Each structure stands twice: as structure tokens, then as C-alpha cells.
């Protein structure tokens, strides 16, 4: 099974300028947190390395979560390293998340099917 990127891999392979995609609700500006089986009891933000991977997950979410159907949620581009540093900064972060997951392209497919 493919795993999300580890923190060591993220910091070694990506720069401050690396783009990533997250899901954000347009009206409130809140970012979508999604439970992940590897991190039970947490509400992580999911980062994707392509807009299409984020869009694929959004389509799946809309199919399984009726509460999201009337929300305007879109993939938005962010800078990966500054974003995860903001999340790691603690409870005052603008992400309103208690963790993060950075998905490799192969892991997105497996996460969607799981």
C-alpha cells in the first residue's frame, strides 16, 4: 500500500515555492478537513500535488457526504511548505486543522478507493 509523504520526504524533496492543492469552501473560506485512517481522531488538511487529484477527491466527497452538496467547495492552490509550517504552528493556525497529509499521486488513487 502506498503511503502519504513523510515529513522528512516533504522537507527534503519540496521547496518553499512548491505548489499544492487543497479543498476550500468559497463562502466561509474554511479549508476542508477529512479523516484519514492512518491518523484516527485527527482532522487533517489534505494536500495534493495536482489540481486534478484534489478535484477527484472532491467529486468522491460530494457523492458520499450529503451535507457538502450545497456548499461551494473548490481546489485552491497554496504553497506547500509555508502551509504545513502554519499548521504545525499550533492552534492559532488559519487552517483550523490538527495535522496534514500530503498525498503522492499513487496514494490518492488508493485513498479514494479505500
Amino acid at each position: 500500500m502506498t503511503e502519504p509523504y513523510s515529513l522528512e520526504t516533504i522537507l527534503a524533496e519540496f521547496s518553499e515555492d512548491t505548489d499544492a492543492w487543497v479543498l476550500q469552501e468559497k463562502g466561509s473560506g474554511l479549508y476542508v478537513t477529512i479523516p484519514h485512517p492512518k491518523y484516527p481522531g485527527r482532522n487533517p488538511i489534505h494536500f495534493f500535488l495536482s489540481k486534478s487529484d484534489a478535484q477527484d477527491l472532491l467529486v468522491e466527497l460530494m457523492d458520499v457526504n450529503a451535507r457538502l452538496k450545497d456548499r461551494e467547495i473548490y481546489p485552491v492552490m497554496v504553497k506547500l511548505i509555508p502551509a504545513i509550517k502554519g499548521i504545525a504552528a499550533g492552534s492559532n493556525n488559519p487552517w483550523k486543522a490538527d495535522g496534514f497529509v500530503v498525498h503522492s499521486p499513487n496514494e490518492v488513487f488508493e485513498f479514494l478507493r479505500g
Side-chain angles (χ1 to χ4, degrees):
M1 171 179 251
T2 308
E3 296 287 325
Y5 286 114
S6 69
L7 181 58
E8 295 79 21
T9 300
I10 294 166
L11 295 175
E13 293 188 14
F14 301 107
S15 75
E16 294 279 329
D17 294 324
T18 299
D19 294 329
W21 295 86
V22 296
L23 300 176
Q24 184 180 38
E25 184 187 23
K26 184 178 181 181
S28 68
L30 293 174
Y31 296 93
V32 176
T33 61
I34 307 162
H36 191 287
K38 186 173 179 177
Y39 311 105
R42 308 285 305 230
N43 293 306
I45 294 287
H46 291 250
F47 292 90
F48 303 92
L49 299 180
S50 75
K51 184 177 182 180
S52 64
D53 284 346
Q55 186 66 41
D56 289 346
L57 181 67
L58 179 58
V59 168
E60 292 291 323
L61 280 177
M62 294 296 194
D63 284 346
V64 299
N65 191 328
R67 294 184 319 162
L68 298 178
K69 291 192 187 294
D70 294 330
R71 307 262 179 137
E72 289 186 68
I73 300 173
Y74 300 98
V76 295
M77 186 172 43
V78 298
K79 297 297 182 189
L80 179 62
I81 300 298
I84 64 172
K85 285 180 179 178
I87 292 168
S91 61
N92 291 330
N93 73 65
W95 298 93
K96 308 292 186 220
D98 59 7
F100 59 87
V101 178
V102 180
H103 293 280
S104 68
N106 290 336
E107 200 265 336
V108 170
F109 179 78
E110 291 178 10
F111 182 68
L112 287 175
R113 301 305 169 248

